[in-house]
Amino acid sequence: MKMKLIYIAIMILPLCFGNKLAAQNARFIHQGVIEYEKKVNMYALIKKNMGKTPSSFYEQAFDAFKRSQPQFKQLKSVLNFSDQKTLFTPVDSKTASQGSFFGDEPSTLQGNIIYNDLSAKTSTIQKKVYEETFLIKDKTRKFTWKITDEKRDILGYSCRRANGIMMDSIYVVAFYTDKIPVPGGPESFSGLPGMILGIALPHENITWFATKISDIPVSPEAIKPPAKGKTMDIEGFKTFLGTALKNWGDYAKAAMKGFMM
């Protein structure tokens, strides 16, 4: 019996230490490329923007949209990251809803090129507003995050959920992984202790989720801030929008939110 116990102990010990060693040697990614997909629930967004008593014109336009367009608009993007710097770049794509009556809703577009220096907490954003291009240089966007115990697997990475607020009122659900110890993410989302692989704006009917993660070296040339556009800070851009949209009636609020995101 004594020899049997010794044998069991000998067999178990390597397993215990092996698991401990594997945990200690778990691979962390500090640079690479992440592909994201943005999905917009167009039906829900349009219906909400139409209000409770839409005109017959808008109802007919919406019915025509539903007959010819898919419910979800899908947009691709790429995030290059290395040495606490990230560059988010949209991938050109022609979606079915582009060019339609509801296709130019600002929140359904993806025209931002965003460079973040996460160590310095600075951001450079090239943002298109119809025919104009702006270069916004400021601090990285502020979020109020609350990390929860909920977890979710995204592309094989264990991600923890965090709930947040942006722009004072927009509710955000984020899923980040500490296996990529870079506090960045798609678009301007950042500020968590790891890379954000999934984002949902439940009340805006928009999500971003990683579709592919490549653990590859990224050269400094691949992460350079954009340089084209009229330069201003975020407050200057907000003032410009307020002036440009002042005669847009009820639509101004939705347009402002979409362009500021």
Side-chain angles (χ1 to χ4, degrees):
M1 182 68 179
K2 185 176 180 180
M3 291 299 295
K4 188 175 181 179
L5 290 173
I6 293 173
Y7 174 76
I8 292 172
I10 292 172
M11 293 299 292
I12 290 176
L13 281 173
L15 292 175
C16 294
F17 283 109
N19 289 338
K20 193 172 183 179
L21 186 62
Q24 290 174 345
N25 292 332
R27 182 173 177 78
F28 289 84
I29 300 176
H30 295 270
Q31 60 178 327
V33 179
I34 303 175
E35 297 176 19
Y36 290 92
E37 180 181 70
K38 177 182 179 179
K39 293 182 72 174
V40 185
N41 187 333
M42 294 295 293
Y43 294 0
L45 182 65
I46 293 167
K47 190 173 182 179
K48 181 176 67 176
N49 288 344
M50 287 170 60
K52 295 181 179 180
T53 56
S55 67
S56 59
F57 170 80
Y58 277 103
E59 287 182 335
Q60 291 173 14
F62 185 34
D63 287 341
F65 183 90
K66 288 190 290 184
R67 288 194 298 270
S68 62
Q69 306 295 341
Q71 179 175 358
F72 291 94
K73 184 175 184 177
Q74 299 174 320
L75 300 163
K76 309 292 184 182
S77 57
V78 172
L79 184 77
N80 287 273
F81 65 97
S82 178
D83 191 28
Q84 298 296 298
K85 295 180 176 63
T86 66
L87 181 65
F88 174 86
T89 308
V91 176
D92 289 336
S93 61
K94 294 182 179 179
T95 58
S97 59
Q98 287 177 338
S100 68
F101 181 77
F102 298 104
D104 290 333
E105 173 75 29
S107 63
T108 72
L109 305 177
Q110 188 167 252
N112 298 333
I113 298 175
I114 302 175
Y115 168 86
N116 280 337
D117 184 331
L118 299 167
S119 296
K121 297 184 178 181
T122 57
S123 178
T124 301
I125 305 173
Q126 186 182 93
K127 188 181 286 283
K128 293 189 69 176
V129 179
Y130 298 122
E131 301 303 321
E132 294 193 66
T133 301
F134 297 87
L135 195 66
I136 302 169
K137 297 184 177 183
D138 215 309
K139 297 291 184 182
T140 51
R141 187 190 291 277
K142 291 183 179 180
F143 294 87
T144 302
W145 293 116
K146 183 178 180 180
I147 297 173
T148 75
D149 293 328
E150 182 181 339
K151 292 185 178 181
R152 174 174 180 172
D153 182 275
I154 300 177
L155 298 177
Y157 288 84
S158 177
C159 297
R160 187 178 292 274
R161 173 175 172 167
N163 301 326
I165 297 292
M166 62 180 283
M167 294 168 56
D168 297 327
S169 61
I170 298 178
Y171 176 55
V172 183
V173 176
F175 292 92
Y176 73 93
T177 177
D178 59 8
K179 296 301 180 186
I180 307 179
V182 178
E187 288 280 354
S188 60
F189 298 100
S190 65
L192 287 167
M195 182 63 74
I196 298 171
L197 299 183
I199 284 284
L201 306 183
H203 303 305
E204 312 302 322
N205 309 112
I206 302 171
T207 63
W208 291 260
F209 275 89
T211 57
K212 183 179 179 181
I213 300 173
S214 300
D215 178 9
I216 57 175
V218 178
S219 71
E221 296 298 316
I223 309 180
K224 283 189 172 182
K228 179 183 177 182
K230 184 178 179 181
T231 303
M232 59 182 60
D233 61 15
I234 193 65
E235 285 301 319
F237 180 67
K238 188 175 181 179
T239 299
F240 162 80
L241 285 178
T243 301
L245 302 175
K246 65 180 180 180
N247 296 322
W248 285 36
D250 294 339
Y251 182 65
K253 185 177 180 180
M256 172 74 81
K257 182 189 292 185
F259 284 128
M260 289 294 294
M261 278 201 298

